[in-house]
């Protein structure tokens, strides 16, 4: 019933999203909810939690029960009755004393085993499972960041292509108007046919660029729909498609590398992996140490071994102390411990290498952001100048003026967007 309600709510949400523009936060929520890899990472976190709880049970005694039934074809005769001779004649039923009924044998027992000293295996194993659970959570956070990053990148890619499409449409319309104006100028004898052909070539190029932008926009919308778990053919509109840039403020952002270190889950994952392999070193060392365990059991048999092998259940308690000292395997254990130590060193080196790469990545990103701010400010000033030049040009054409030279520059959509 709960699954049905959840399914209906998702279908209702999908219909609502199809009717109204999606915000960036809505796209993130859909991507996070519908991503299967993220759900797998969440299940791995549950597995690590269960393994941690299972490791904790090693501190408690292990109790086991055993039951055995055996049927024998023959009973047991300890002494040959014919060998008793005269003694057998003097003592009636003497042969029965040496006769054991073992045709049906029952054995039952309960054993308790409590570890006393295991060389640190149990402690280190519990610490490893605890680190493994934290590692699974860190991997989940890493996947979550990747999904958010991919969704944001796809979202703003659509916004960028929407504005490129607007620019391409405006450029095509401008060239279409210029084509009509130049045709009129040719008919008036103030422009040449070469000028008209030049405009038509540029118009064809602009229409091709417009077609490429439209195809790229359609594919980008499909990619965003796939990330959000929506139908690829469903209409998708975004809330920021009509965003307007009112003012531009250029501020150089400082590089806060320490904050990046704290917010990067891959560093935490490598640190936890280093701790796990350090504990594995301790486990390999524990394999070379003596182990001590307390044993207690109760054993009952039928026939009874404590009362003349009567056909009845009877048993006894046993308490003991078990100790095991490895006498061989020191060479093998030493090599395994050295191998674990080498793995720990590898994880430390990977951690340091990742820190250096993150620091470089942060600085590169800041340079790109600051450069993009500067390009945006420059583009805004150029746009204002271009609008003023266009106004004067339109006035000149409307008054049947003739420019001294007709120059048409090729349109490139990537010049009007941030390429960082």
């Amino acid at each position: 019933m709960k699954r049905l309600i959840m399914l209906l709510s998702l279908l209702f949400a999908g219909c609502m999203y199809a009717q109204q523009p999606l915000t960036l936060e809505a796209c993130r929520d859909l991507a996070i909810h519908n991503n299967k890899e993220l759900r797998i990472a969440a299940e791995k976190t549950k597995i690590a939690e269960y393994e941690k709880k299972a490791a904790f049970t090693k501190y408690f005694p292990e109790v086991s029960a055993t039951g055995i039934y055996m049927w024998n074809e023959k009973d047991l005769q300890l002494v040959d009755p014919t060998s008793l001779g005269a003694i057998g004649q003097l003592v009636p039923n003497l042969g029965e004393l040496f006769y054991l009924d073992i045709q049906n044998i029952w054995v039952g027992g309960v054993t308790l085993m409590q570890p006393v000293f295991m060389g640190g295996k149990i402690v280190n194993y519990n610490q490893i499972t605890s680190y493994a659970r934290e590692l699974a959570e860190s991997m989940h956070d890493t996947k979550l960041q990747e999904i958010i990053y991919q969704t944001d990148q796809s979202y703003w890619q659509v916004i960028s292509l929407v504005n490129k499409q607007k620019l391409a449409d405006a450029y095509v319309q401008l060239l279409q108007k210029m084509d009509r104006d130049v045709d009129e100028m040719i008919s008036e004898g103030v422009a040449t046919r070469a000028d008209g052909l030049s405009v038509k070539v540029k118009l064809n190029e602009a229409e091709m660029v417009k077609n490429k932008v439209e195809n790229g926009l359609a594919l980008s919308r499909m990619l965003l729909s796939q990330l959000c778990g929506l139908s690829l053919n469903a209409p998708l509109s975004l809330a920021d498609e009509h965003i307007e840039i009112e003012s531009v403020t250029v501020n150089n952002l400082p590089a806060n590398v320490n904050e990046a270190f704290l917010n990067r889950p891959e560093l935490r994952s490598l640190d936890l992996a280093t701790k796990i392999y350090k504990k594995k070193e301790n486990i390999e060392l524990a394999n070379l140490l003596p182990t001590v365990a307390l044993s207690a059991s109760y054993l009952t048999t039928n026939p009874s071994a404590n009362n003349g092998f009567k056909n009845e259940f009877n048993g006894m308690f046993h308490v003991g102390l078990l100790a095991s000292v490895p006498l061989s395997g020191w060479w093998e254990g030493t090599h395994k411990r050295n191998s674990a130590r080498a793995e720990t060193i590898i994880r430390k080196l990977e951690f340091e290498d990742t820190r250096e790469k993150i620091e470089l990545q942060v600085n590169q990103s800041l340079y790109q952001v600051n450069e993009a701010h500067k390009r945006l400010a420059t583009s805004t000033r150029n746009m204002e100048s271009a609008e003023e030049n266009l106004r004067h040009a339109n006035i000149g054409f409307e008054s049947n003026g003739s420019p001294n030279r007709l120059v048409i520059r090729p349109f490139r959509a990537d010049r009007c967007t941030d390429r960082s």
Side-chain angles (χ1 to χ4, degrees), residues 335-380:
H335 294 319
K336 287 185 177 180
R337 189 184 180 199
N338 291 335
S339 176
R341 185 180 291 112
E343 291 284 353
T344 304
I345 295 174
I346 290 174
R347 298 299 174 268
K348 289 181 179 179
L349 293 175
E350 289 178 348
F351 178 82
E352 295 174 359
D353 182 64
T354 303
R355 279 179 61 94
E356 294 174 357
K357 290 181 179 178
I358 289 177
E359 184 176 1
L360 178 61
Q361 186 182 58
V362 169
N363 288 306
Q364 288 177 341
S365 299
L366 286 174
Y367 289 145
Q368 292 174 355
V369 170
N370 293 330
E371 183 182 357
H373 283 172
K374 293 177 182 179
R375 287 205 305 268
L376 179 59
T378 303
S379 299
T380 303

Side-chain angles (χ1 to χ4, degrees), residues 5 12-13 41 115 143 169 192 198 274 297 310 351 362 378 389 393:
I5 296 175
F12 177 75
K143 191 61 187 178
D169 292 339
T192 64
S198 177
T274 303
S297 63
K310 288 185 177 181
F351 178 82
V362 169
T378 303
N389 292 335

Side-chain angles (χ1 to χ4, degrees), residues 291-308:
T291 57
V292 180
L294 177 65
S295 174
S297 63
Y298 176 80
L299 181 67
T300 181
T301 62
N302 185 356
S304 173
N306 302 322
N307 193 12

Side-chain angles (χ1 to χ4, degrees), residues 7-52:
L7 180 60
L8 293 176
S9 63
L10 288 176
L11 292 175
F12 177 75
C15 296
M16 293 295 295
Y17 286 135
Q19 296 175 1
Q20 63 183 7
L22 283 174
T23 63
L24 179 60
E25 290 298 328
C27 290
R28 287 180 176 179
D29 293 340
L30 285 172
I32 292 172
H33 180 78
N34 294 311
N35 188 270
K36 294 181 176 58
E37 293 183 359
L38 188 63
R39 291 164 63 182
I40 291 173
E43 294 300 322
K44 289 182 178 180
T45 303
K46 294 181 181 179
I47 292 174
E49 178 65 24
Y50 293 141
E51 290 180 350
K52 179 179 179 295

Side-chain angles (χ1 to χ4, degrees), residues 170-318:
Y171 186 60
V172 169
Q173 293 174 5
L174 175 63
L175 288 177
Q176 289 174 346
K177 181 179 182 299
M178 184 178 292
D179 184 48
R180 293 190 299 268
D181 292 340
V182 171
D183 288 340
E184 293 179 0
M185 293 169 63
I186 293 174
S187 64
E188 295 293 333
V190 295
T192 64
R193 291 188 178 277
D195 294 332
L197 292 175
S198 177
V199 173
K200 293 183 185 299
V201 170
K202 297 303 178 184
L203 177 59
N204 292 333
E205 293 177 354
E207 289 176 346
M208 292 177 62
V209 172
K210 176 185 175 182
N211 185 49
K212 290 182 179 179
V213 172
E214 290 175 349
N215 292 337
L217 178 58
L219 293 175
S220 297
R221 289 187 189 275
M222 289 183 182
L223 176 60
L224 182 59
S225 298
Q226 189 271 332
L227 289 173
C228 295
L230 303 176
S231 174
L232 299 182
N233 298 322
L236 181 67
S237 61
L238 304 182
D240 292 315
E241 291 185 10
H242 305 287
I243 189 173
E244 297 290 341
I245 302 177
E246 298 179 355
S247 62
V248 179
T249 302
V250 179
N251 295 320
N252 290 328
L253 300 175
N256 193 342
V257 181
N258 292 327
E259 183 179 357
F261 288 158
L262 294 175
N263 295 326
R264 295 295 289 265
E266 58 264 40
L267 280 180
R268 182 166 173 257
S269 298
L270 288 173
D271 181 57
L272 291 170
T274 303
K275 294 179 179 178
I276 288 174
Y277 278 97
K278 185 64 179 177
K279 295 302 177 183
K280 286 186 176 180
E281 287 186 50
N282 297 337
I283 289 179
E284 293 299 336
L285 176 62
N287 291 329
L288 304 177
L289 299 177
T291 57
V292 180
L294 177 65
S295 174
S297 63
Y298 176 80
L299 181 67
T300 181
T301 62
N302 185 356
S304 173
N306 302 322
N307 193 12
F309 285 93
K310 288 185 177 181
N311 291 331
E312 62 182 14
F313 283 97
N314 198 353
M316 68 178 72
F317 286 97
H318 306 271

